[in-house]
Amino acid sequence: MNTSVQPDLPATARSAIEIACAGQLDCIPDFYHEQFVDHVNSMVFRGHAGARESVGFYRSIFSDLRFDIDDQVTQEDRVATRWTLHGTYRRRPVTLHGIVISRFRDGKIIEDYGVTHSLALPRALGVVHTVLLLTDIARNRVKLPRGAARAQS
């Protein structure tokens, strides 16, 4: 008789997004494997430090960052999660949608493939707030992740 308890992968994926990705960076090791690889659009982040960098970028834009989980589908060691991001940038509410496919090893996420529409943020912000965001980036008030710099070169 096998008495081992199988991890609840959808619950882990949900908690990773709702807790760690929303800014509780000290929880990253609870959900993500130490060899974690995060593919976000054309950027790649590695390990717990990479996860902190990726989330840190969004936290620097949206201090009130939160995620809603819209849908999840599980197959073997993978969970696909469709999510909605909510945040405010300079009093402008922003809602973005995306999807992430998480692959698990030993009950933790070892790899994520996340996709959001590249123009969704500027559209949500509008012209004036996009210019303000670009100014904040130029003045290092909002720091682009190193992965973004590599993706643009």
Side-chain angles (χ1 to χ4, degrees):
M1 177 178 191
N2 185 356
T3 59
S4 66
V5 175
Q6 295 296 325
D8 185 348
L9 302 184
T12 300
R14 174 184 296 273
S15 295
I17 293 169
E18 291 177 340
I19 297 170
C21 293
Q24 293 183 29
L25 302 181
D26 56 327
C27 294
I28 284 175
D30 297 340
F31 305 109
Y32 296 96
H33 194 279
E34 62 187 19
Q35 296 173 352
F36 174 64
V37 179
D38 190 12
H39 307 269
V40 181
N41 293 334
S42 61
M43 298 176 285
V44 177
F45 301 93
R46 297 186 184 281
H48 293 159
R52 285 183 191 93
E53 181 183 3
S54 177
V55 173
F57 169 66
Y58 288 100
R59 291 286 303 160
S60 70
I61 298 172
F62 308 114
S63 61
D64 61 342
L65 178 67
R66 76 175 173 82
F67 287 86
D68 289 333
I69 305 305
D70 302 317
D71 196 16
Q72 287 186 299
V73 177
T74 303
Q75 182 178 357
E76 297 174 10
D77 66 341
R78 290 170 175 31
V79 176
T81 305
R82 191 171 52 85
W83 49 260
T84 302
L85 173 154
H86 302 277
T88 307
Y89 175 73
R90 294 183 177 239
R91 297 187 301 264
R92 174 84 177 224
V94 173
T95 300
L96 302 173
H97 304 278
I99 189 165
V100 62
I101 300 172
S102 302
R103 185 170 60 86
F104 286 79
R105 180 187 295 161
D106 302 326
K108 293 189 178 186
I109 301 169
I110 185 78
E111 190 168 30
D112 270 348
Y113 284 90
V115 178
T116 58
H117 190 281
S118 298
L119 295 177
L121 180 58
R123 284 183 182 152
L125 289 174
V127 174
V128 171
H129 284 84
T130 297
V131 170
L132 290 171
L133 177 59
L134 292 172
T135 302
D136 284 346
I137 291 169
R139 293 183 176 165
N140 276 333
R141 290 186 201 143
V142 172
K143 187 171 179 163
L144 286 176
R146 290 186 309 256
R150 287 191 298 271
Q152 294 172 350
S153 50

